[in-house]
Amino acid sequence: MNWEAVIGIECHVELKTQTKMFCGCPNEFGAEPNTNVCPVCLGMPGALPVPNRVAIEHMVRAGLAFGAEIPAFSKFDRKNYFYPDMPKDYQISQFDMPLTSGGEVKYWLDDGTMKSCRLTRIHLEEDTGKSSHAGSGDGRIAGSEYSLVDFNRAGVPLMECVSEPEIRSSQDAVAYLTSLRETLLQLDVSDVKMEEGSLRCDANVSIRPVGATELGTKTEIKNMNSFRSVQRAIDSEIRRQIETVEAGGRVVQETRGWDEARGETHSMRSKEEAHDYRYFPDPDLVPMELQGDDIERLRAGLAELPWQRFERLTGEYGLNVKQAGQLIDNARLAEYFDRVVTASRNPQQSTNFVLGDLSRLANESGVAVADSKASPDDIAELIAMVEAKTINSKIAKTLVERMWKGDGSPKAIVEREGLSQTSDPAAVETFVDDVLAANPNIVAEYRAGKTNVAGFLVGQIMKASRGKVDPALVNTVLKRKLE
Amino acid sequence: MGDFSIERGAADIARAVTAGSVSAADVVEAILSRVDAVDDAVGAYLTPLHDLARRTAANVDARIRTGERLPLAGVPLAVKDNMCLTGTRTTAGSKILEHWVAPYTATAVARLLHAGCVPIGKANLDEFAMGSSCENSALGVTRNPYDLVRVPGGSSGGSAAAVAALEATIALGSDTGGSIREPAAFCNLVGFKPTYGRVSRYGLIAFASSLDQIGPLTRSVEDAALTYDAMAGFDTMDATSVDREVEPSATALREDLRGLRIGLVRQFDTKLLGPEVDAAYRKAYDDLAACGAEIVEVSLPTADYGLATYYLIAPAECSSNLSRFDGVRYGLRVEAKDVQAMYEETRAAGFGPEVKRRILIGTHALSSGFYDAYYVRAQKARTLIARDFDKAFAGCDLIACPAASSPAFAFNAKSDPYSMYMMDYYTIPMSLAGLPALSVPCGWVTPPGGSVPMPLGLQLCAPQFAEPLLLGAAHAYERTTGHATQHSARVEAVSP
Amino acid sequence: MQSDSIDVRYVARLARIALTDEEVDRFSEQLGDLLHHVDALSELDTNIVAATAQVVESRNVTRSDERRPSLDRETVLEQAPRRQGNFFRVPRIIAE
Ligand SMILES: [Mg+2]
Ligand SMILES: [Zn+2]
């Protein structure tokens, strides 16, 4: 039987702000334990939350970037459950009226195809503190004897982003996450670093026979700490589910942890009786009614999004996926590239120089292309000279290195050193005549039928002209003279 | 110590201290020796603050010498113990916080200290402000200064007893369904609950966030107005505090009620008052007319549903607000084999029966399957109640009714919870609508089996943000009837 | 609405309050009685009425993203029921 995987991704993204969601404590990674805490984020008696305006704007900008609606009315709700690293034993979150609704993540695959996955919801909530578990040896909660809690992270603004189960493979899952991360980076609303926990994701995985419409029983995969482990975890879970079912067993709904070392998922807990979170509107906070002009102001501030850039580069400019990827990963390089293209109107050559020579020089020197002494206008000027055949590609390459060193604009260098290529037949003839006169016996061999010696003569002519003559012209002139 | 009379009011004290005719230090010494003399009998304070009071008084005198103008210079203040004051034990009357020292100060308290008040002590209350007699305090018994065998009312019972027994000049209380107005009525005081959102709740240990409001308990309307003026206004630390200009009330006090229409609520059940108390209130309404008010009848068809609405909304909010008392970060912990057991044992040992009842009923009202039938329906009923008040105020300027269902009762008189809840029958609707309301002394009755007459309180209620009108009218009533001034004669009951 | 019936054991579990059997009985009776009283609300026609979560009409009350002083760690930890070094210590967490 052929199986199809059905995958949904749930992400928690810490927003990039100076302070926490509901208090003035610093929102920073890696501070001394329990130093970034106050009455509010420790849930002390009498303390009250006041929402961080910037976090709300980050949410709206993210929503707009994903094409979500921004409802006129939105509110915060309390999600009630007890956990030691949750100071108030309820989480301020958003239940039925989040700041944004709908939306989709457009993402691209290695073969250049674009896909999109709709979002079930994006909402704003507060992060919990961090527990470390002692006594279990491996730091896992299972088998631990006690736990130690650090509340520095408690109250950090958190965006929860849940996708519809529209993803069909681990590759697509990673592509989805890549686009999500690139978008949030470009919006500058988060660092999205999995290693620092500012991006955390779980995957819901189920399988069903190809063509089936109803969903199979899903498992939730946790503890994936890199895109690579997301891909491996999903693949291994799909395999496990297929083996289970084909062996006559059935998949149980449960939470499974990814074990990087063993390369497999293990059961953490089977789905306990459904939680009764007792959501209700937080009476310490008042509703949000975002005004149309505020939303438009934020919309106007949005730049080109990664998936849009991908479409432009691969479509309009004909870059391949790898090249487009290089430019999406590096916003400053992309901006430099765009300026070269605008000035030169030659995407092909712009790609060659920016992603070829310049990027090579950047790697060798450790200086970013955008910071190099070769300005986009200089590169465009160079491209124009190549187009006009004023110089050949060989000279162009040396010019790029000279420009990188700061020797000035290509025109200046060429004029200073008379490097421009001659296409004037008369000038070429003198070179040819000189070389023929200097090599009578070679000329004799040629005339005797050893036509392959022509190559030697061309080389001599180029040498004599220090590469300034157009090789094509040389050939025609030479042939005429030898016949 | 100068010959300072502890019966003097806040306005009077502030003037004297500012003029230098008496020092804050003298005022505070006089009050502290009163506390030492009578608080064993009254039990108003859970934590007296002699040292802090003396230090603060010295500081006030220094500020006065530098020419600072302090509207409440040297005024002795009792703080209900559900409000945080840096470095002082703040218990909410609960075992679960018995030894907790607040690391920050509530905004309302901070504003009064800034205005020159001197904190005398943290006053007793029903645990987490849940109760109407102060009997639910897990940490102490507070007695009514007018008859020590009776309760002071609640939940702000310690605050009321402190001011009535002259152990403080003014007190801060909190009112969720009547917790300032009822004890004020029981102790012959002015008890004022401002419009919801007028006074910051930051630092007030939450009971029901959408209802809690801080207000003063004083021996005169003028003192209540001064205290309110000094602490009202938007606070960036409380998102539910209202960002709207506060017109001063102390300058809006009036001498008569001419031109005011005062509404009596047709639907309020007066049978529970009993004939004698009912008669006393009718006399009070006549007095309002005698001061020049036009008495009209108004209709609050949903008034009778206030109690039911309140006993779903308030417990629902409290069940969530009190989750944080979990033995992890502060307060009581009962060690156990795992964290779940630790939670359950800690909260079982730390909370008293009334708090448990309200957490349980509130959890039930929010739980899946019951949310719409209970919580949402109660919120809708709340909308109807608020609308009824809007309609009623189209026909009157103020509403008058009892501040409590009876005068102060004896200890252990209300054994079943519901009969205790009924004490707030007249005060809860105003709380649900977020309206400013106060209790002002309106006469005396000797309760059945009682030995001495006990005070009654008249509740006056105004539209949202009409505090100046409300306090102004109460002042006129207080001046013409003079009930409040019978204070000194009676309070000898607890003189040493 | 499910008149005056309340599963006190279930609710107490949600609220993390250990109850004795005696308490379960007493609270079941008292809370059942209270629920009976609040059932009066079903007399009201609330179908077309909006729910009031708050009586104040304020909207969009937020703060600017500016730091405020945090608390001193010792002040915080010295009140912890149990601390270990610079952390709050809690008993075994059973993944529930
Ligand atoms: Mg979440
Ligand atoms: Zn904080």
Side-chain angles (χ1 to χ4, degrees):
Chain A
M1 159 131 41
N2 287 343
W3 298 96
E4 157 182 79
V6 177
I7 302 161
I9 303 286
E10 177 176 333
C11 292
H12 283 88
V13 179
E14 287 180 350
L15 297 179
K16 189 171 168 188
T17 53
Q18 286 302 305
T19 65
K20 293 185 179 183
M21 184 62 228
F22 296 110
C23 68
C25 291
N27 170 10
E28 63 184 354
F29 178 79
E32 271 289 295
N34 292 305
T35 50
N36 293 344
V37 293
C38 74
V40 176
C41 58
L42 277 175
M44 280 187 175
L48 295 172
V50 181
N52 183 333
R53 198 172 303 132
V54 172
I56 290 171
E57 289 187 354
H58 282 359
M59 286 295 293
V60 174
R61 291 172 62 236
L64 292 170
F66 295 128
E69 294 286 305
I70 309 300
F73 184 95
S74 170
K75 64 181 172 74
F76 288 105
D77 302 282
R78 292 185 182 180
K79 180 182 185 180
N80 294 281
Y81 65 98
F82 284 78
Y83 206 80
D85 59 21
M86 195 162 60
K88 302 181 295 300
D89 292 290
Y90 61 78
Q91 179 188 36
I92 303 178
S93 182
Q94 299 193 280
F95 182 51
D96 56 346
M97 292 179 170
L99 277 157
T100 76
S101 90
E104 62 178 350
V105 173
K106 289 209 174 77
Y107 60 95
W108 56 91
L109 304 176
D110 292 350
D111 65 6
T113 50
M114 292 292 302
K115 284 192 175 179
S116 96
C117 176
R118 284 173 301 146
L119 295 173
T120 311
R121 64 187 288 113
I122 320 174
H123 72 244
L124 180 55
E125 58 189 28
E126 55 180 342
D127 206 345
T128 63
K130 252 193 160 111
S131 309
S132 44
H133 311 295
S136 58
D138 57 5
R140 279 222 211 109
I141 188 167
S144 65
E145 282 155 21
Y146 63 89
S147 302
L148 299 176
V149 190
D150 170 13
F151 288 100
N152 283 347
R153 199 183 68 179
V156 163
L158 200 60
M159 178 180 93
E160 179 174 321
C161 177
V162 183
S163 90
E164 291 285 301
E166 294 178 342
I167 296 169
R168 293 289 174 265
S169 74
S170 63
Q171 294 81 352
D172 287 17
V174 170
Y176 165 92
L177 284 168
T178 305
S179 176
L180 184 81
R181 181 179 61 188
E182 296 295 349
T183 305
L184 297 174
L185 277 175
Q186 200 257 37
L187 294 172
D188 199 30
V189 298
S190 174
D191 299 331
V192 248
K193 291 184 186 159
M194 278 188 110
E195 61 279 18
E196 291 185 3
S198 54
L199 170 62
R200 311 195 283 274
C201 51
D202 308 334
N204 290 310
V205 179
S206 66
I207 56 164
R208 65 183 173 190
V210 172
T213 50
E214 75 284 4
L215 296 167
T217 308
K218 67 167 190 239
T219 58
E220 184 179 13
I221 316 303
K222 292 191 173 297
N223 308 345
M224 301 173 292
N225 46 27
S226 70
F227 283 9
R228 184 163 164 282
S229 54
V230 168
Q231 178 152 11
R232 292 180 64 210
I234 291 175
D235 284 335
S236 104
E237 177 60 13
I238 294 172
R239 232 178 292 114
R240 186 191 70 85
Q241 290 189 14
I242 292 174
E243 282 160 13
T244 310
V245 173
E246 289 187 338
R250 45 177 278 277
V251 175
V252 280
Q253 180 167 357
E254 62 181 350
T255 304
R256 300 181 64 86
W258 168 245
D259 186 324
E260 191 72 49
R262 292 206 187 75
E264 62 189 23
T265 65
H266 56 83
S267 175
M268 286 170 84
R269 48 185 140 107
S270 55
K271 201 77 186 161
E272 64 279 358
E273 87 290 345
H275 280 295
D276 191 342
Y277 287 125
R278 289 156 287 140
Y279 280 99
F280 75 106
D282 191 327
D284 287 332
L285 296 163
V286 301
M288 289 160 288
E289 284 180 7
L290 299 179
Q291 301 307 312
D293 43 1
D294 295 335
I295 296 169
E296 287 322 306
R297 175 177 51 81
L298 293 170
R299 193 194 302 277
L302 294 180
E304 181 185 44
L305 299 167
W307 69 268
Q308 292 167 328
R309 175 173 293 156
F310 180 88
E311 283 194 325
R312 180 167 58 87
L313 294 175
T314 55
E316 218 174 301
Y317 294 174
L319 273 64
N320 63 40
V321 176
K322 185 170 168 301
Q323 293 168 327
Q326 277 176 274
L327 291 176
I328 286 169
D329 287 344
N330 185 336
R332 297 185 63 225
L333 183 63
E335 187 217 356
Y336 184 98
F337 173 81
D338 286 341
R339 287 173 57 192
V340 175
V341 176
T342 324
S344 71
R345 290 194 208 73
N346 185 335
Q348 179 55 49
Q349 290 286 15
S350 304
T351 312
N352 296 343
F353 284 113
V354 175
L355 295 183
D357 307 86
L358 288 171
S359 295
R360 178 177 47 78
L361 289 163
N363 294 339
E364 290 165 5
S365 63
V367 177
V369 171
D371 302 327
S372 78
K373 300 198 178 72
S375 76
D377 292 344
D378 291 348
I379 299 299
E381 185 179 299
L382 182 71
I383 290 169
M385 290 163 73
V386 173
E387 287 171 330
K389 293 213 165 62
T390 327
I391 54 170
N392 59 34
S393 54
K394 181 166 160 300
I395 290 179
K397 285 191 177 304
T398 47
L399 282 176
V400 173
E401 289 174 12
R402 300 284 299 280
M403 289 152 67
W404 187 272
K405 290 206 208 74
D407 294 357
S409 83
K411 275 219 176 64
I413 301 172
V414 166
E415 260 139 45
R416 205 183 316 128
E417 311 184 7
L419 290 175
S420 70
Q421 168 171 283
T422 44
S423 317
D424 157 23
V428 175
E429 275 194 37
T430 49
F431 282 118
V432 177
D433 294 341
D434 295 354
V435 170
L436 293 185
N439 301 279
N441 43 347
I442 306 288
V443 174
E445 284 182 30
Y446 181 93
R447 297 207 165 111
K450 285 184 75 186
T451 48
N452 60 343
V453 297
F456 169 80
L457 295 168
V458 172
Q460 294 298 303
I461 296 161
M462 296 308 291
K463 193 146 166 254
S465 72
R466 301 202 357 266
K468 282 163 28 178
V469 292
D470 176 352
L473 188 57
V474 168
N475 279 317
T476 41
V477 174
L478 183 64
K479 286 233 164 31
R480 211 183 64 235
K481 299 254 172 192
L482 288 172
E483 251 82 90
Chain B
M1 188 204 307
D3 53 2
F4 172 78
S5 157
I6 55 176
E7 288 190 34
R8 293 171 70 176
D12 180 19
I13 292 173
R15 271 191 299 272
V17 170
T18 304
S21 60
V22 63
S23 73
D26 290 344
V27 173
V28 164
E29 285 309 327
I31 293 292
L32 289 177
S33 42
R34 173 70 175 180
V35 171
D36 297 338
V38 305
D39 205 52
D40 288 347
V42 176
Y45 292 115
L46 288 174
T47 312
L49 301 169
H50 290 60
D51 296 348
L52 179 61
R54 293 187 168 109
R55 268 184 281 122
T56 311
N59 180 260
V60 167
D61 286 325
R63 289 168 70 189
I64 291 295
R65 279 194 298 276
T66 65
E68 236 187 298
R69 301 282 291 105
L70 304 176
L72 293 169
V75 173
L77 168 72
V79 178
K80 188 178 183 179
D81 204 25
N82 59 352
M83 298 176 209
C84 294
L85 174 54
T86 305
T88 68
R89 187 174 81 125
T90 300
T91 68
S94 179
K95 280 208 196 68
I96 213 159
L97 281 179
E98 187 170 4
H99 305 293
W100 184 63
V101 175
Y104 75 106
T105 298
T107 299
V109 176
R111 288 183 179 179
L112 291 191
L113 297 185
H114 178 73
C117 282
V118 178
I120 302 302
K122 303 298 291 292
N124 197 13
L125 68 156
D126 286 296
E127 184 176 8
F128 286 102
M130 299 176 194
S132 306
S133 69
C134 222
E135 291 168 291
N136 293 337
S137 171
L139 303 180
V141 175
T142 302
R143 302 174 176 282
N144 190 312
Y146 288 91
D147 185 352
L148 296 174
V149 304
R150 295 180 178 275
V151 301
S155 64
S156 309
S159 299
V163 176
L166 307 178
E167 299 180 67
T169 307
I170 63 174
L172 280 183
S174 66
D175 189 312
T176 306
S179 282
I180 288 175
R181 290 161 285 170
E182 188 248 27
F186 282 17
C187 296
N188 197 43
L189 300 173
V190 173
F192 171 41
K193 179 199 92 73
T195 304
Y196 179 85
R198 257 316 189 196
V199 177
S200 169
R201 295 184 296 114
Y202 186 70
L204 168 68
I205 300 178
F207 161 15
S209 310
S210 76
L211 293 156
D212 295 343
Q213 187 60 192
I214 291 175
L217 292 97
T218 60
R219 294 190 296 266
S220 77
V221 173
E222 182 185 20
D223 286 1
L226 270 178
T227 311
Y228 169 74
D229 288 348
M231 66 180 170
F234 181 63
D235 175 16
T236 54
M237 299 301 284
D238 176 2
T240 62
S241 69
V242 177
D243 191 356
R244 164 174 174 150
E245 199 214 334
V246 181
E247 323 82 84
S249 298
T251 53
L253 303 182
R254 44 194 294 168
E255 299 307 322
D256 62 55
L257 299 175
R258 267 184 268 118
L260 288 184
R261 288 164 309 163
I262 297 184
L264 307 181
V265 180
R266 183 186 307 131
Q267 288 83 358
F268 269 140
D269 175 2
T270 54
K271 285 187 296 299
L272 55 126
L273 295 171
E276 199 187 354
V277 173
D278 188 29
Y281 278 113
R282 295 186 187 288
K283 170 74 168 63
Y285 306 145
D286 294 342
D287 292 342
L288 289 170
C291 308
E294 176 194 350
I295 303 299
V296 300
E297 187 180 68
V298 296
S299 180
L300 290 179
T302 51
D304 248 354
Y305 296 90
L307 210 63
T309 306
Y310 178 87
Y311 276 98
L312 288 171
I313 290 175
E317 292 182 6
C318 104
S319 71
S320 175
N321 284 336
L322 270 61
S323 293
R324 68 188 60 190
F325 302 103
D326 60 5
V328 173
R329 284 146 290 116
Y330 48 76
L332 178 74
R333 173 191 290 192
V334 176
E335 290 293 351
K337 65 182 194 315
D338 62 53
V339 77
Q340 297 302 335
M342 186 277 280
Y343 288 151
E344 296 192 343
E345 295 307 325
T346 296
R347 292 163 62 81
F351 293 139
E354 183 59 25
V355 172
K356 288 175 184 171
R357 271 192 290 273
R358 299 203 192 188
I359 291 175
L360 294 174
I361 200 73
T363 304
H364 179 64
L366 291 175
S367 64
S368 72
F370 296 96
Y371 182 78
D372 292 329
Y374 287 133
Y375 182 72
V376 173
R377 178 170 307 186
Q379 282 197 324
K380 290 180 169 185
R382 187 176 188 178
T383 306
L384 294 176
I385 292 167
R387 275 191 206 159
D388 279 357
F389 274 105
D390 290 345
K391 295 198 201 99
F393 280 121
C396 67
D397 303 296
L398 298 169
I399 288 173
C401 64
S405 306
S406 83
F409 45 88
F411 287 92
N412 307 314
K414 308 253 178 252
S415 49
D416 82 295
Y418 199 75
S419 63
M420 184 71 83
Y421 299 166
M422 282 303 289
M423 290 309 299
D424 296 332
Y425 171 85
Y426 296 103
T427 48
I428 278 173
M430 295 72 178
S431 296
L432 289 166
L435 303 172
L438 56 75
S439 174
V440 57
C442 70
W444 304 77
V445 295
T446 306
S451 52
V452 294
M454 295 303 289
L456 292 175
L458 172 70
Q459 179 176 207
L460 294 174
C461 165
Q464 285 196 352
F465 305 109
E467 281 86 0
L469 170 70
L470 177 63
L471 289 159
H475 180 259
Y477 174 82
E478 172 190 66
R479 279 305 168 86
T480 46
T481 60
H483 296 298
T485 56
Q486 298 178 26
H487 184 277
S488 48
R490 314 269 185 181
V491 79
E492 296 308 318
V494 290
S495 289
Chain C
M1 103 170 66
Q2 247 275 19
S3 279
D4 46 53
S5 85
I6 170 172
D7 182 345
V8 166
R9 286 187 197 279
Y10 170 74
V11 171
R13 172 70 188 151
L14 275 182
R16 299 295 187 275
I17 299 176
L19 295 181
T20 65
D21 294 352
E22 183 275 327
E23 282 175 308
V24 171
D25 297 343
R26 182 154 38 88
F27 287 147
S28 302
E29 186 198 329
Q30 291 171 331
L31 299 182
D33 177 47
L34 176 58
L35 288 177
H36 174 71
H37 282 97
V38 304
D39 274 355
L41 288 187
S42 44
E43 299 161 13
L44 292 174
D45 176 11
T46 52
N47 295 327
I48 47 127
V49 182
T52 296
Q54 261 145 345
V55 287
V56 288
E57 262 121 44
S58 348
R59 294 287 183 268
N60 308 325
V61 182
T62 57
R63 39 175 279 271
S64 57
D65 187 19
E66 283 158 17
R67 293 192 181 189
R68 293 176 48 90
S70 297
L71 285 171
D72 163 61
R73 178 164 63 192
E74 270 314 299
T75 315
V76 168
L77 283 170
E78 73 194 2
Q79 294 212 67
R82 183 151 187 199
R83 73 183 279 183
Q84 182 166 318
N86 294 326
F87 296 88
F88 295 85
R89 176 170 169 165
V90 296
R92 168 183 304 113
I93 300 173
I94 34 166
E96 82 133 32

